[in-house]
Amino acid sequence: MAKRRRGGRGELREVPAQLRDRVRPPVGIVLGTPAEVAHLVRALDLAEPATCYQMDLFPAERLRDELGEVVRVVTAADLWDLPPDFQTLIYLPARSGERELKLDMVEQAFHVLRPHGQLLVWSPYQMDGFFPAALKKVFGRVHSYFTGSDTVLACHRDGERPRRRHEVTFQVRVAGGASCRFLSRPGVFSYGRFDDGARALMESVTIGTGERVLDLGCGCGTNGVFASQRTGPEGHIAFADSNLRAVALAEHNARANGVTSFEAVATTRVEGLPEGTFDVVLANPPYYSQGAIARLFVERGRKMLAPGGRFYLVTKQPNEVGAVVAEEFGSLEAEERRGYVILSS
Ligand SMILES: C[S@@+](CC[C@H](N)C(=O)[O-])C[C@H]1O[C@@H](n2cnc3c(N)ncnc32)[C@H](O)[C@@H]1O
């Protein structure tokens, strides 16, 4: 029996017969780390390529590199934007992942299954306390198969149901500026609230009228929108993120908050924007990936700046990232605020 590695914990798990025996083509695989998806695809050994749905370009690129023609990797802000043509969808939820994203994926999976198509959730938990109720709510009936170490949950699409969007709007003001409303959705940082690190960053930065600002790793676009309050309509804001849902939200939030001159780019290596043209780069990098993304933001952020441009990065790990900033820029300033450190150069 094939084995697969579960992200984060490092252990290998068998692909259970309770899952393999239920799979009927056409097959879709929803999220999962590249390593997990690759193990699963190899174990299933399907006659036709499975469609692998990812919301973020980074794991999608790794999957394409690893599996090539064996799969069809599709990226989109929403799973339910795919054609409703799957007989089997296999969802690989992250261990202790975001609850709202799980609910959202269950809801969206329903809408891309063929009539009587089935959703299989391969839960990493021996006794899953979350999915039985969540699936029952959307699909009506759910069967749980216990494999000894984890659980396979199976349910079928029966009939129609209206699409239910999972989203939360929040309202924030920063540093005495006008209040802004932001739409947020599961899977995009930070769902339903303005991040404290982002607030510390936006209280600390200096941005002038007419400047060009890059919001690097923009999430739902809060920082770029607040930056535009200071640049005014003569300025320009670029939003960049590897997560397609984040880019769609940043575009929406920029428009909804009256940002007139902006662009939004989906990219994993900060490409697709003119290098050497920005006056300010803002970054609040994620903590996963052992600092690799923070390093990428620093290195590519510097390339994006015009001569004399300013780079700002907020972190709770100032020593590691600070060394990278100092090495790349040859200078470093640090300010403590709200339990975070804002590095600038
Ligand atoms: C901590 S969140 C910050 C979001 C937002 N800027 C804020 O301050 O609330 C980091 C963001 O970086 C994005 N990201 C991660 N890797 C990336 C990459 N290689 N290229 C672009 N964005 C990336 C994530 O999708 C996420 O939206």
Side-chain angles (χ1 to χ4, degrees):
M1 203 184 254
K3 294 181 172 184
R4 76 184 176 106
R5 193 179 292 278
R6 291 295 290 185
R9 300 277 293 248
E11 82 269 30
L12 290 167
R13 288 203 309 159
E14 307 286 335
V15 177
Q18 291 91 331
L19 179 80
R20 283 197 301 171
D21 294 350
R22 287 187 166 72
V23 173
R24 306 280 178 274
V27 176
I29 301 175
V30 179
L31 302 181
T33 67
E36 286 175 331
V37 178
H39 274 284
L40 177 61
V41 166
R42 290 190 180 115
L44 294 178
D45 194 20
L46 299 164
E48 55 183 85
T51 300
C52 301
Y53 166 74
Q54 292 285 336
M55 197 183 285
D56 193 293
L57 298 178
F58 188 74
E61 283 172 9
R62 283 179 53 204
L63 257 182
R64 281 192 196 102
D65 290 347
E66 185 148 352
L67 292 173
E69 306 281 289
V70 179
V71 290
R72 202 168 68 90
V73 181
V74 179
T75 52
D78 285 287
L79 172 62
W80 64 25
D81 286 345
L82 274 54
D85 199 28
F86 295 101
Q87 186 58 38
T88 308
L89 276 177
I90 306 169
Y91 177 23
L92 303 175
R95 187 183 274 276
S96 64
E98 197 188 335
R99 185 180 167 277
E100 282 295 323
L101 180 62
K102 292 174 182 172
L103 293 175
D104 189 28
M105 287 300 108
V106 168
E107 170 72 38
Q108 296 211 4
F110 181 95
H111 298 281
V112 288
L113 285 170
R114 288 178 174 177
H116 309 298
Q118 65 173 336
L119 171 64
L120 300 171
V121 178
W122 185 12
S123 160
Y125 296 108
Q126 198 174 5
M127 290 294 293
D128 192 296
F130 175 79
F131 275 107
L135 291 166
K136 194 162 187 283
K137 215 167 167 188
V138 174
F139 285 84
R141 260 200 301 182
V142 51
H143 299 278
S144 300
Y145 302 96
F146 302 102
T147 71
S149 55
D150 47 23
T151 314
V152 175
L153 302 112
C155 42
H156 287 82
R157 173 177 178 162
D158 198 5
E160 298 291 329
R161 61 180 267 118
R163 290 185 173 206
R164 181 170 171 239
R165 268 187 171 277
H166 288 258
E167 56 188 33
V168 172
T169 302
F170 58 92
Q171 181 123 11
V172 205
R173 76 165 62 221
V174 169
S179 164
C180 294
R181 273 174 84 78
F182 295 97
L183 181 68
S184 69
R185 301 188 57 209
V188 175
F189 190 89
S190 54
Y191 182 54
R193 66 187 179 88
F194 186 43
D195 176 55
D196 286 343
R199 182 181 285 281
L201 175 70
M202 296 316 295
E203 285 172 348
S204 166
V205 296
T206 304
I207 298 174
T209 310
E211 289 198 310
R212 283 172 58 81
V213 178
L214 170 58
D215 182 354
L216 186 46
C218 60
C220 70
T222 49
N223 306 347
V225 168
F226 285 123
S228 81
Q229 292 181 335
R230 310 191 201 170
T231 65
E234 313 89 75
H236 180 79
I237 312 294
F239 298 92
D241 206 291
S242 57
N243 180 316
L244 295 181
R245 188 175 278 190
V247 174
L249 283 170
E251 262 181 331
H252 170 94
N253 287 323
R255 240 175 239 118
N257 287 292
V259 183
T260 46
S261 175
F262 74 90
E263 62 199 301
V265 181
T267 170
T268 54
R269 300 212 45 85
V270 198
E271 289 162 345
L273 293 163
E275 290 187 2
T277 66
F278 290 93
D279 302 298
V280 177
V281 170
L282 305 173
N284 179 9
Y287 292 110
Y288 53 77
S289 84
Q290 282 98 39
I293 296 170
R295 176 175 280 276
L296 170 81
F297 282 9
V298 176
E299 290 171 358
R300 291 293 301 146
R302 190 178 73 83
K303 293 244 161 38
M304 305 313 289
L305 284 172
R310 282 110 56 213
F311 179 82
Y312 296 93
L313 181 146
V314 62
T315 184
K316 277 195 165 169
Q317 297 163 341
N319 294 339
E320 295 99 281
V321 194
V324 180
V325 175
E327 181 191 320
E328 191 66 31
F329 286 85
S331 70
L332 176 68
E333 285 175 36
E335 180 192 332
E336 277 190 54
R337 205 179 262 264
R338 295 181 182 270
Y340 291 81
V341 176
I342 295 95
L343 303 170
S344 59
S345 199

